[in-house]
Amino acid sequence: MQRILTVLLLAILLLPAPHMGKPEVVRPGTLLVTARPLPLSSIDPRLTHVGALTYLGGWQLESANPGFGGISALLVSPAGDILGLSDSGILTGFRVAPGVGQGHPFIAPLPIRPQDRHRPWWAWDSESLTHDPATGRYWVGFELQQAICRYSPGFARVEACRTWPEIMAWPKTGSIESLARLPDGRFLAIGEMGMTADGRHDSLLFAGDPADKDTPSPIHLRYTAPRGYRPTDAVALDDRHVLVLNRRLTMEQLFTGVIAIVDLPQKLEPGTELKARPLARLAPPLLADNFEGLAVSHEKGRPIIWIISDDNHEFFQRTLLLKFGLK
């Protein structure tokens, strides 16, 4: 019975089914977000460390704008501007810390190609996001469409989209949750539920832009997640390390998360294992929810790790934004 209930809960919370609470039309505009500070622990407000991470702040985010929420991917600029992408193809830009920053709070849908205008809003199941600071371009992974699209600076337009048979082999509801651009220009995509024969998560290493028609077929790697967890996002920490956000849902604790690091070997060959080394586990009484977005910034040369939760537009879930320093 417990297993049946767990499966039902997973179906309600994790599958990208159409949800009447999500807006069908979101127009570009300003976005007002309130950020309520939260302690890391509900039983020890003074706690500031978890695993190898130092807790630098956490906020529950709320907005009256109906398009806000459902955030599944995250970027943080050097100036502290935060960019979230929802699983309905909605961009949200905001700040939680004092400072000048470079942008203004906004909400806007992703631009779409003319040939895609017939698709309903729920088909834009955007689950992953990465960025090249040198060119200003962005890449988005779409789970239901099993495609990767490239966008021009400022998300002005769609430059290219491509589907891959290697990604189409993954389940549509557990596909490209994680997409990371490595400093050398390669891209790493990790399948949430696309599994290898030995029970690892199938991972694809692209030699170049995965939206470009001339990029050759990727090689397959194997990601080993913490036991019982599935990857929901990834980001390059540097040229030899990748951070991976992992999620688990159980009846006992509901959502828990693990922030892990992967040490990349000097040479990545087909079949290479990418093994998660946990840095911190977030479970009650610590702040925990449906963490899906992961980003890295730097402050005074120190790596800063950000994670955000997807509230699924449900009244009983929250949008939590947490900030950690890496020791």
Side-chain angles (χ1 to χ4, degrees):
M1 177 59 71
Q2 185 180 46
R3 184 175 182 181
I4 292 173
L5 290 174
T6 301
V7 171
L8 290 174
L9 188 58
L10 279 166
I12 294 171
L13 298 180
L14 300 183
L15 298 184
H19 192 289
M20 296 306 295
K22 295 181 182 179
E24 292 194 18
V25 178
V26 173
R27 294 180 175 85
T30 58
L31 176 68
L32 177 62
V33 174
T34 59
R36 180 166 64 89
L38 298 171
L40 175 61
S41 170
S42 61
I43 62 175
D44 183 3
R46 298 171 298 177
L47 184 68
T48 58
H49 291 84
V50 53
L53 304 182
T54 301
Y55 185 61
L56 301 178
W59 303 266
Q60 179 173 340
L61 307 178
E62 295 178 336
S63 175
N65 191 303
F68 180 79
I71 297 176
S72 297
L74 187 69
L75 290 174
V76 179
S77 76
D81 296 300
I82 297 170
L83 178 66
L85 176 62
S86 83
D87 53 13
S88 299
I90 300 171
L91 294 164
T92 57
F94 58 95
R95 292 180 59 85
V96 294
V100 177
Q102 296 179 335
H104 300 283
F106 73 93
I107 187 166
L110 285 170
I112 59 175
R113 301 178 299 177
Q115 62 265 41
D116 294 326
R117 289 174 182 167
H118 68 283
R119 297 182 185 272
W121 59 266
W122 52 264
W124 298 102
D125 186 24
S126 42
E127 295 285 351
S128 49
L129 170 67
T130 192
H131 178 238
D132 177 11
T135 65
R137 289 187 169 98
Y138 298 87
W139 288 260
V140 174
F142 294 94
E143 192 169 67
L144 286 178
Q145 298 181 46
Q146 295 177 300
I148 299 174
C149 294
R150 185 182 71 240
Y151 296 81
S152 62
F155 285 96
R157 64 184 179 89
V158 185
E159 292 187 338
C161 291
R162 186 170 176 181
T163 58
W164 293 87
E166 293 86 353
I167 295 177
M168 293 182 71
W170 297 345
K172 281 190 174 182
T173 55
S175 181
I176 186 167
E177 286 269 352
S178 306
L179 180 65
R181 183 184 182 276
L182 305 183
D184 61 7
R186 292 179 295 174
F187 286 74
L188 177 66
I190 305 175
E192 183 191 10
M193 296 182 186
M195 310 302 290
T196 62
D198 61 355
R200 269 68 172 182
H201 292 267
D202 190 23
S203 305
L204 303 174
L205 182 67
F206 296 88
D209 181 354
D212 194 290
K213 63 180 178 62
D214 295 324
T215 297
S217 296
I219 64 171
H220 289 265
L221 310 176
R222 302 174 301 140
Y223 172 66
T224 302
R227 186 173 181 180
Y229 285 81
R230 294 185 183 275
T232 58
D233 206 358
V235 63
L237 180 63
D238 52 42
D239 58 358
R240 294 299 301 275
H241 301 91
V242 170
L243 296 173
V244 183
L245 181 61
N246 304 268
R247 172 186 61 198
R248 184 173 71 175
L249 176 61
T250 64
M251 291 300 297
E252 293 83 6
Q253 294 184 310
L254 295 180
F255 287 108
T256 61
V258 170
I259 302 170
I261 190 168
V262 172
D263 303 312
L264 298 178
Q266 192 157 5
K267 188 173 183 181
L268 289 168
E269 300 176 330
T272 298
E273 181 184 8
L274 306 177
K275 189 171 183 178
R277 179 159 51 90
L279 295 175
R281 180 174 181 266
L282 297 169
L286 305 185
L287 290 170
D289 213 297
N290 181 29
F291 291 120
E292 289 201 11
L294 172 69
V296 171
S297 65
H298 291 83
E299 294 180 4
K300 299 179 180 178
R302 181 190 188 188
I304 304 297
I305 299 174
W306 303 76
I307 64 173
I308 198 165
S309 65
D310 174 2
D311 68 352
N312 290 301
H313 295 270
E314 299 286 1
F315 70 91
F316 52 84
Q317 289 182 261
R318 299 178 292 176
T319 299
L320 298 180
L321 176 68
L322 308 187
K323 178 182 180 181
F324 298 95
L326 180 61
K327 292 182 182 179

